[in-house]
Amino acid sequence: MMRLLSNDRPGHWLLALLLVGLLLGLLAAPFLFPGTKALAVAARIAIFIVLAASYDILLGYTGIVSFAQTTFFGLGAYGVAIPLALGASGWAVVAGGAAAGIGASLVLALVMALLSLRVRAIFFSMITLAIARFAQVLAAEWRGLTGGEDGLTFTVPRLISPAFRLFPAPLLGLPISGPVIAYYLILAVSLAAFLLMLRMVNSPFGRVLQAIRENPFRAEALGYRTILHRALASVLAAGFAALAGAMMALQLRYTNPDTTLSFSLMIDILLMVVIGGMGTLYGAALGAALLVLAQYYLEPLLAALARLSGGVPVLPALFDPGRWLLWLGVIFVLVVYFFPAGIAGTLRARGRAA
Amino acid sequence: MRTEELSVRFGAEAAVDRVSCAFYPGTLTAIVGPNGAGKTTFFNLISGQIRASSGEVWFRGKRITGLGVAARTRRGLGRGFQLTNLFPALSVCENTRLAVQAEARRDFRLLSLASDHHDLNARAQAILDHVGLAARARTVASALSHGDQRKLEVALLLALRPEVFMFDEPTAGMSVDEVPVVLDLIAAIKRDRTKTILLVEHKMDVIRALADRVIVLHQGRLLADGAPAEVVALPLVREAYLGQGSGHG
Ligand SMILES: Nc1ncnc2c1ncn2[C@@H]1O[C@H](COP(=O)(O)OP(=O)(O)OP(=O)(O)O)[C@@H](O)[C@H]1O
Ligand SMILES: [Mg+2]
């Protein structure tokens, strides 16, 4: 069990509990919470765990501040979407499209890394910002290929299409439809990708990344050619982000700049990693779950609270569902206040101190 | 290893001024000079932290002046730092393991677990035993006492197994009872008789006990070079160095 987790112990009982809860919740989600919305949210959590974890390799482990993680996410998504929208079909097309998107991401990340990792960190961040913006504009303007702002809608392979039923009768009360199958495929790939990333950050290479984050000058003085490590970290992170993007395309059955390339998405990823705890990978998983859940369920939760507190003065106004973003902000401030190193980071530090 | 007319200027001032000097295996050379003489800068030029304005550094018959820091370390130049320069949030053990791993060139193993490289872990442990930090292995480097941080600095250098050891005031700021520990570690390297050792040091008794040779830097210039007893006796050294007070830098 610990080997599967690359001997990376959570280090605190509460963190272990949260992670087990997250895993069990994701595994059982379609049965526990029926309905298309719950399924879509669960799939989004699985995908964003991969995306946020890939970003944590950069930000949390290596100390590279990039704003182009959505660009790779988008490349993966459009890689799958474009051939399917052009009318090609079948799993080979999906695999080929994903491979093309991931391949393009690896190349772009390598070029970016070699061109700009030598410049000062702040300039590198600015360059990534420009590239992210450029990708967004390109996707919006190149209508012939990307469908512009509207994006692309397409048909996915039959096995995961909405009309498909694996068995004639429901299983444990749940019809095993295409989206349910898609969900479990996404969950399996996400879990495998997460465990692979966990292995990489606990490998000798991953240790060098931490050394670079802690003290790049000393890492260099030990004989590590840090530009190579940083380039490889960027390439790996880009590859996993593109994989997440490909899964997002299949899950949504459409792809547009908003769902894959927007700047607010980049901010979401950043928040997931920071709130969860940078440089732990587990934190990225928790952060992804927390943020996605809040984005989808905070508003209905507030609506319910407002209804419950109907007679009481002030409260209904406070719980106005329109204020959900405000409440999200309050939750973030509280989390950051009580968990200064993020949830996983702070729990881990407490576990060590105990 | 030798330097040839090695110079660097910061603005108009030459911090190291046309220093030509050769260093030999099996010899411990002490580098002395008042604060600001250019000793650390001289080390920076040799290890590549700063680029020379002019002049060359030669090592094992090859010119290395154009190489970066990592490349020089990989060739066998081991640079220790005057100011604490560790991986602060990582444990003592992990700091050492990183240096051991660098020396073993295993930095691009992505799919094995660092904890499974038992030979590296054992070597890191042995080095920590040797420098007397074994009991602190799990402590993060930033939580160590100053003296222990200096010992860890020596541990990192030992882990690299360099041909050339450059120690920059390794005992500065240490408590009286800790100083001999570090000096013994340096003496042990010296006993190997194959390593080239450069030691920046202010304390005359240390120099007398350890050095085979002393060079004096003053305002970036090589002022004197010879056996410890000779150099210390030179009038211009007394004036330039001892005259300015043998304060610790
Ligand atoms: N990066 C730099 N930029 C500008 N000036 C520098 C730089 N590094 C060193 N100097 C200057 O070069 C001179 C030599 O400094 P250096 O640190 O080499 O002296 P030192 O002999 O090591 O002194 P100490 O005994 O205090 O350690 C000093 O005047 C210092 O101010
Ligand atoms: Mg100095």
Side-chain angles (χ1 to χ4, degrees):
Chain A
M1 173 66 190
M2 270 301 144
R3 290 209 63 83
L4 200 61
L5 296 180
S6 302
N7 293 340
D8 196 340
R9 293 172 186 282
H12 190 279
W13 63 269
L14 185 54
L15 181 56
L17 198 69
L18 286 169
L19 290 168
V20 170
L22 175 58
L23 179 65
L24 293 180
L26 286 174
L27 281 171
F31 295 93
L32 292 179
F33 315 104
T36 40
K37 181 178 173 183
L39 193 63
V41 170
R44 196 175 171 84
I45 290 175
I47 292 167
F48 272 75
I49 285 175
V50 175
L51 184 57
S54 77
Y55 192 61
D56 194 29
I57 293 181
L58 281 188
L59 183 68
Y61 280 88
T62 322
I64 296 174
V65 182
S66 162
F67 296 107
Q69 204 65 359
T70 46
T71 305
F72 306 117
F73 188 62
L75 274 171
Y78 278 97
V80 168
I82 289 171
L84 290 179
L86 288 174
S89 61
W91 283 107
V93 174
V94 171
I102 292 170
S105 295
L106 301 183
V107 173
L108 178 62
L110 186 66
V111 171
M112 276 168 64
L114 293 182
L115 285 184
S116 45
L117 279 178
R118 274 184 187 279
V119 303
R120 288 214 351 241
I122 178 81
F123 289 114
F124 175 73
S125 302
M126 293 300 119
I127 290 169
T128 62
L129 204 54
I131 287 173
R133 182 82 193 117
F134 177 74
Q136 233 175 316
V137 172
L138 191 70
E141 298 296 320
W142 196 351
R143 287 166 194 288
L145 192 69
T146 64
E149 296 282 5
D150 299 334
L152 301 166
T153 310
F154 44 85
T155 316
V156 294
R158 207 177 80 83
L159 178 68
I160 59 170
S161 68
F164 182 79
R165 292 287 178 283
L166 188 61
F167 311 116
L171 183 73
L172 299 174
L174 179 78
I176 305 302
S177 63
V180 172
I181 296 169
Y183 171 72
Y184 279 107
L185 287 177
I186 286 170
L187 187 57
V189 173
S190 297
L191 194 61
F194 184 80
L195 292 177
L196 184 58
M197 284 188 267
L198 198 58
R199 176 154 275 254
M200 286 173 173
V201 297
N202 284 292
S203 70
F205 172 73
R207 295 288 188 257
V208 182
L209 298 186
Q210 286 182 321
I212 293 172
R213 176 195 68 201
E214 288 295 311
N215 187 346
F217 301 103
R218 191 58 200 253
E220 194 77 28
L222 290 183
Y224 291 123
R225 291 164 295 183
T226 58
I227 176 104
L228 299 180
H229 302 91
R230 298 204 296 169
L232 184 56
S234 303
V235 166
L236 290 171
F240 283 106
L243 175 68
M247 292 194 285
M248 195 81 239
L250 286 179
Q251 205 276 321
L252 291 174
R253 281 174 274 123
Y254 63 83
T255 293
N256 63 36
D258 243 22
T259 55
T260 57
L261 292 168
S262 71
F263 191 66
S264 72
L265 201 62
M266 187 63 239
I267 300 293
D268 287 350
I269 302 169
L270 193 67
L271 279 175
M272 288 170 185
V273 171
V274 171
I275 286 175
M278 291 195 283
T280 60
L281 231 53
Y282 293 130
L286 291 181
L290 191 69
L291 193 71
V292 172
L293 282 177
Q295 284 173 334
Y296 282 81
Y297 290 111
L298 199 53
E299 202 173 347
L301 180 73
L302 286 174
L305 284 175
R307 244 180 291 113
L308 280 178
S309 57
V312 193
V314 187
L315 283 187
L318 208 58
F319 294 137
D320 187 316
R323 296 191 205 275
W324 77 274
L325 263 176
L326 183 81
W327 279 102
L328 191 60
V330 170
I331 292 175
F332 287 166
V333 170
L334 288 179
V335 169
V336 172
Y337 184 79
F338 288 106
F339 299 93
I343 299 170
T346 308
L347 287 178
R348 219 170 226 196
R350 278 192 208 146
R352 253 199 304 273
Chain B
M1 198 257 298
R2 69 190 170 86
T3 67
E4 190 179 294
E5 298 281 297
L6 194 61
S7 309
V8 69
R9 270 173 292 281
F10 297 120
E13 196 103 359
V16 170
D17 195 3
R18 286 165 289 154
V19 173
S20 298
C21 194
F23 303 93
Y24 307 101
T27 305
L28 189 150
T29 307
I31 302 173
V32 302
N35 295 143
K39 305 179 297 291
T40 298
T41 306
F42 185 55
F43 272 10
N44 281 336
L45 287 170
I46 294 172
S47 61
Q49 260 82 19
I50 57 176
R51 291 295 157 114
S53 307
S54 62
E56 306 285 356
V57 183
W58 295 80
F59 182 49
R60 290 164 146 182
K62 293 215 171 63
R63 211 173 57 180
I64 60 165
T65 326
L67 294 180
V69 174
R72 295 188 202 203
T73 303
R74 293 163 85 87
R75 276 169 200 235
L77 287 178
R79 163 75 198 274
F81 293 86
Q82 179 176 6
L83 301 173
T84 302
N85 193 357
L86 303 162
F87 303 106
L90 304 183
S91 70
V92 168
C93 179
E94 184 56 24
N95 268 269
T96 315
R97 226 195 47 76
L98 277 164
V100 171
Q101 176 183 295
E103 192 273 338
R105 308 273 196 271
R106 299 223 191 126
D107 44 329
F108 283 103
R109 306 284 180 91
L110 270 82
L111 294 176
S112 59
L113 296 182
S115 53
D116 283 345
H117 288 249
H118 299 291
D119 53 334
L120 302 190
N121 302 335
R123 214 183 139 230
Q125 196 55 51
I127 291 168
L128 289 180
D129 281 333
H130 180 59
V131 303
L133 281 177
R136 319 244 56 179
R138 307 254 148 261
T139 315
V140 290
S142 58
L144 289 180
S145 69
H146 176 76
D148 282 346
Q149 289 188 343
R150 303 302 299 163
K151 285 183 211 162
L152 182 53
E153 178 70 53
V154 176
L156 297 195
L157 217 50
L158 286 169
L160 293 176
R161 291 202 252 239
E163 291 298 313
V164 177
F165 283 84
M166 290 185 265
F167 292 103
D168 198 348
E169 302 192 31
T171 64
M174 277 187 138
S175 66
V176 190
D177 48 321
E178 282 175 320
V179 170
V181 178
V182 168
L183 295 183
D184 284 348
L185 291 169
I186 297 173
I189 301 167
K190 203 185 145 184
R191 249 175 274 129
D192 210 34
R193 294 193 173 280
T194 58
K195 306 296 187 193
T196 308
I197 308 173
L198 277 60
L199 172 68
V200 172
E201 185 54 74
H202 282 295
K203 302 185 191 79
M204 274 304 153
D205 49 335
V206 172
I207 291 167
R208 264 190 287 269
L210 281 177
D212 304 301
R213 171 190 175 202
V214 178
I215 65 174
V216 182
L217 283 183
H218 181 56
Q219 292 176 357
R221 305 265 282 277
L222 184 63
L223 208 70
D225 180 352
E230 284 168 39
V231 171
V232 172
L234 289 175
L236 90 176
V237 171
R238 294 187 159 274
E239 183 192 323
Y241 176 46
L242 302 173
Q244 293 210 358
S246 47
H248 297 175

